[in-house]
Amino acid sequence: MTTAIKTFPVAISARHIHLSEEDLQALFGPNATLTKDFDLSQPGQFAAKERVSIEGPKGIIHNVRVLGPVRAATQVEVSRTDAMKLGIYPPLRQSGDIDNSAGIKLLYGERELVIPQGVIIAQAHIHMTEEDAQALAVHNNEVVAVEVVSERPVTFRGVVVRVSNDFSLEMHIDTDEANAGFIEQQAQGKLVKASL
């Protein structure tokens, strides 16, 4: 029997990078491994102590946090504001969908690495387990709308539901979305209706 879920936490995801094993070695040297700084809310995911700079045609952003563990392909997640500063045009995508996305230069000390694709603006999404999905009456990859109550209340449309028993119930938005709605970490969201 599932328990009714009225609201769920909303987390603000700042710019970050997921590195492939190959790119990790290229930037940090042979046999490099990620050093865990602290665990993230999603099981098995962590913020690493390693940081890199990302450089585009118009600008550079330093101290971009690397998240672990390593992935099959390198992915850089930025906000639209970040993209404008860098002078790049990343698409709005779900995490992992990096085909034909924007490229960027990664810098660490004297090392640099150009990735031809991998930069995206992450689409707002909700991580949840199968039990959570049943309680909320939604399914994997369903697109929903979520109301977040704050000083400037806002309803996000086009929010993707991502279901896996490896997840913990939480909605992720980027810093631009959070700033627009005066949203602080661990605000609460609730489903309002399916998005058109």
Side-chain angles (χ1 to χ4, degrees), residues 21-149:
E21 186 67 48
E22 181 181 359
D23 291 348
L24 173 66
Q25 310 293 321
L27 282 171
F28 294 97
N31 304 313
T33 57
L34 292 177
T35 309
K36 183 187 290 187
D37 193 0
F38 56 87
D39 289 317
L40 299 175
S41 58
Q42 294 305 309
Q45 305 296 302
F46 63 89
K49 292 183 178 180
E50 287 75 21
R51 295 171 184 253
V52 299
S53 297
I54 55 177
E55 183 178 9
K58 290 186 178 179
I60 186 168
I61 298 175
H62 298 289
N63 295 314
V64 178
R65 173 85 70 171
V66 178
L67 302 188
V70 294
R71 290 194 175 183
T74 293
Q75 176 176 294
V76 182
E77 296 179 36
V78 297
S79 69
R80 182 68 182 270
T81 300
D82 291 336
M84 292 171 67
K85 177 178 180 179
L86 294 165
I88 60 175
Y89 302 92
L92 181 68
R93 297 272 184 86
Q94 288 193 53
S95 180
D97 182 6
I98 61 171
D99 286 348
N100 300 310
S101 58
I104 199 80
K105 182 186 289 186
L106 309 178
L107 305 166
Y108 178 75
E110 297 300 313
R111 295 190 176 99
E112 62 179 55
L113 176 68
V114 175
I115 58 169
Q117 63 179 21
V119 187
I120 63 168
I121 297 171
Q123 186 169 0
H125 56 279
I126 312 170
H127 292 284
M128 65 180 70
T129 64
E130 292 177 6
E131 184 176 357
D132 295 330
Q134 289 179 2
L136 289 164
V138 294
H139 58 80
N140 191 44
N141 288 324
E142 183 173 350
V143 178
V144 298
V146 176
E147 179 184 349
V148 182
V149 178

Side-chain angles (χ1 to χ4, degrees), residues 164-181:
S164 168
N165 286 331
D166 293 331
F167 291 154
S168 177
L169 181 60
E170 188 175 63
M171 177 176 170
H172 287 180
I173 59 176
D174 69 21
T175 50
D176 282 356
E177 291 165 320
N179 290 339

